[in-house]
Amino acid sequence: MKKGLTVVIKLGTSSIVDEHTHQPLLSILSLIVETAVNLRKDGYHVVIVSSGAIGTALRMMDLDRRPKHLPKVQALAAIGQCRLMSLWDQLFSHFRQPVAQILLTRNDIADRTQYLNAQNTFIELLSMGVIPIVNENDTLSVQEIKFGDNDTLSAITAGMVQADYLFLMTDVDCLYDTNPRKNPDAKPIEVVEDIGTLTADTSSAGSSLGTGGMSTKIVAARLATSAGVMTVITKSSKPGNIRSIVRYVEASKVTISSSLVSPTPPQQHQPEIQSEVPLPIRQDAQTAQPTTSTAISPSPSSSQTLPPQPPAQTLQHPPLHTRFLPSPHPIRDRYFWLLHGLAPHGTIYIDSGAHRALADKAGLLPAGVVDVEGNFAQHEAVRIVVIAKKVAVVGNAVTSSPTNGAGKDGSGNGSGSGTTTPAPVEVGRALVNYSAAEIRRIKGHRSTEIHDVLGYADSEYVALRENIAFLALGSSRPGTPGI
């Protein structure tokens, strides 16, 4: 197996705590620990995102169900987190595997410096051979600063540590095109290349102890794949599947790479250099995973030979699962933080010309702003939404005008025949240089007019280009879940 890759494993409450008795599922916990230790022996870095604090506390406090009163939920989280971490520590100690506890809220990563500090802590722990165990800090979280569910937290964690794999453990083997509990002919979906075109049954809700369901896992997969993380849904009661799936995917990559590399025979009187020739993307019939390779021409003195690799068809098929292929244009580092580390406080609507300028690395000028929604302060995050032009066809004449996506009747379809109104499209997030009230006053004006309108000018841009991040190409999601 390839060394140095990072695997994030997300476990919901129902995966580690019995839904009815609230007892820890020690058999599954032990298998997860054994799997994580084996991955470490294979040279992988491992991060576990674990729910279960509140579920564990319910048994300790002899409560039948999760309460609805927020202070009581927070108190139970404080009680259960100690017990949950103790369980993990005891189980890993049998293998002499050190673990670390990391509790996060969205506020902890909203500040860029704090985000980098958290990222550096992860990097240092992984370099020390420690397995970080991550959970949302429900003791302090309120709705405004919650990630929403641990599926989202695991995806943000995977993006933060630039993981290679994110495993979302659930109570089914994989996604199906229809509900397998109701339809015996339901077909499994093994590989998803474009989540935007996914047709699957996501009607299953979370357990009575948890907050997620299959739909939250799809949203988390969108987020993680946009950061270049292969995301896998598989059965939580069979954690050994993780290692088998990783082995299969990595072996498939090696097989595809070896089939694309063809050494060129050395030519006489040729300087000893290596030339890189990009090869087209190909797909393996079983994995359906696009892989880009580079052919290396060895020098005359080179004796490079590739180790023999088994053909792709001889690879043992892995356990049933669904894997979402990572984006070929991943969003990382600062742009990932801008998109998913910050909660937007409003929306700025821009025209298509401003959008093209941003794509060409220009900043956002007030002239390109069409409208503002919400109340936000300077240096807060906002959504960037592009408003297309409403096109009206009257006879042979074509007229156009900016629109916010709603016709006169509010339907978005226009009020007259021959009129089309494309819906606004969210394209990214930005940290703004002016407040909502200030942008409302300067929108549509030239930068040279900002001082005349406001009486001062902090910047010629509504947002600097380095403070603007676009959603992944081809993304159909409206941004980070829950915000």
Side-chain angles (χ1 to χ4, degrees):
M1 296 173 69
K2 191 175 180 179
K3 305 292 184 180
L5 301 182
T6 300
V7 177
V8 177
I9 303 171
K10 184 270 171 181
L11 301 158
T13 301
S14 60
S15 298
I16 57 180
V17 177
D18 187 273
E19 186 174 354
H20 303 291
T21 66
H22 303 154
Q23 288 182 325
L25 301 173
L26 292 177
S27 58
I28 294 180
L29 285 169
S30 299
L31 289 172
I32 291 166
V33 167
E34 186 177 355
T35 297
V37 170
N38 285 334
L39 286 170
R40 286 284 306 120
K41 290 179 180 178
D42 289 335
Y44 279 69
H45 301 304
V46 179
V47 178
I48 293 176
V49 178
S50 170
S51 305
I54 295 173
T56 302
L58 291 176
R59 175 173 172 78
M60 297 176 67
M61 303 306 295
D62 292 323
L63 297 174
D64 293 332
R65 61 182 63 88
R66 181 189 177 107
K68 296 182 179 179
H69 190 46
L70 179 60
K72 194 162 189 176
V73 172
Q74 292 175 320
L76 287 173
I79 295 167
Q81 190 62 41
C82 294
R83 178 60 179 154
L84 180 64
M85 197 62 206
S86 176
L87 276 172
W88 283 120
D89 191 41
Q90 289 175 20
L91 291 169
F92 274 109
S93 67
H94 292 299
F95 297 91
R96 299 185 66 183
Q97 171 61 54
V99 295
Q101 177 180 241
I102 296 182
L103 298 175
L104 293 174
T105 65
R106 191 171 289 281
N107 265 6
D108 294 325
I109 61 173
D111 178 78
R112 178 63 178 166
T113 301
Q114 289 178 249
Y115 178 89
L116 291 174
N117 286 341
Q119 188 178 52
N120 289 335
T121 299
F122 275 113
I123 292 171
E124 191 61 32
L125 287 171
L126 295 175
S127 68
M128 294 168 64
V130 176
I131 295 179
I133 298 179
V134 186
N135 196 3
E136 183 157 14
N137 192 351
D138 290 316
T139 301
L140 300 177
S141 289
V142 293
Q143 193 61 41
E144 289 76 13
I145 61 173
K146 285 180 72 67
F147 289 98
D149 56 79
N150 270 8
D151 291 322
T152 299
L153 174 60
S154 68
I156 291 177
T157 300
M160 184 185 297
V161 302
Q162 297 187 8
D164 299 277
Y165 293 90
L166 168 62
F167 282 85
L168 301 173
M169 312 301 287
T170 184
D171 59 350
V172 294
D173 293 295
C174 62
L175 283 178
Y176 290 85
D177 56 355
T178 59
N179 192 332
R181 295 187 180 97
K182 299 178 181 178
N183 182 8
D185 297 323
K187 297 179 181 179
I189 300 172
E190 295 189 24
V191 179
V192 178
E193 296 187 52
D194 180 6
I195 299 181
T197 61
L198 176 65
T199 303
D201 182 86
T202 59
S203 58
S204 61
S207 70
S208 61
L209 297 178
T211 58
M214 193 57 72
S215 60
T216 65
K217 289 172 177 56
I218 301 297
V219 175
R222 284 191 177 120
L223 196 161
T225 53
S226 74
V229 182
M230 180 174 290
T231 305
V232 180
I233 291 177
T234 191
K235 200 171 183 66
S236 59
S237 61
K238 301 176 182 178
N241 289 356
I242 296 173
R243 198 168 177 224
S244 300
I245 294 167
V246 170
R247 282 181 177 275
Y248 174 79
V249 174
E250 289 303 311
S252 299
K253 290 179 182 178
V254 172
T255 302
I256 294 170
S257 296
S258 63
S259 67
L260 291 176
V261 176
S262 54
T264 304
Q267 299 177 5
Q268 292 184 352
H269 311 296
Q270 192 174 21
E272 296 186 5
I273 59 171
Q274 289 184 331
S275 60
E276 297 188 1
V277 183
L279 293 179
I281 294 177
R282 297 186 182 179
Q283 275 190 342
D284 174 64
Q286 292 190 25
T287 64
Q289 177 170 345
T291 305
T292 304
S293 181
T294 301
I296 307 295
S297 302
S299 65
S301 60
S302 171
S303 59
Q304 288 181 324
T305 57
L306 286 169
Q309 297 293 340
Q313 55 266 34
T314 66
L315 294 175
Q316 183 178 359
H317 202 275
L320 198 58
H321 68 283
T322 297
R323 65 181 178 277
F324 301 82
L325 303 187
S327 168
H329 308 283
I331 303 167
R332 295 193 187 276
D333 301 326
R334 180 177 176 83
Y335 291 138
F336 183 83
W337 169 74
L338 284 169
L339 284 173
H340 307 298
L342 301 174
H345 294 271
T347 303
I348 290 180
Y349 295 91
I350 65 173
D351 59 34
S352 55
H355 184 213
R356 287 192 297 270
L358 293 178
D360 289 335
K361 307 300 183 183
L364 178 58
L365 296 169
V369 177
V370 176
D371 203 356
V372 181
E373 186 178 274
N375 293 306
F376 49 85
Q378 184 183 31
H379 302 312
E380 286 190 329
V382 299
R383 302 177 185 86
I384 299 293
V385 175
V386 177
I387 293 179
K389 289 184 176 181
K390 180 168 63 178
V391 179
V393 181
V394 182
N396 294 325
V398 178
T399 60
S400 62
S401 61
T403 176
N404 62 3
K408 292 180 180 180
D409 60 356
S411 65
N413 296 320
S415 57
S417 61
T419 302
T420 60
T421 308
V425 178
E426 181 179 349
V427 295
R429 303 284 171 85
L431 287 178
V432 291
N433 293 326
Y434 294 95
S435 68
E438 292 169 326
I439 297 174
R440 286 190 182 98
R441 294 175 61 188
I442 64 175
K443 66 182 176 67
H445 288 272
R446 295 179 180 273
S447 297
T448 53
E449 299 171 346
I450 294 177
H451 190 278
D452 295 335
V453 175
L454 298 179
Y456 54 87
D458 291 337
S459 171
E460 63 179 309
Y461 295 104
V462 170
L464 299 174
R465 184 61 185 86
E466 59 264 31
N467 289 333
I468 299 173
F470 286 121
L471 300 175
L473 292 175
S475 173
S476 59
R477 65 181 166 77
T480 306
I483 61 174

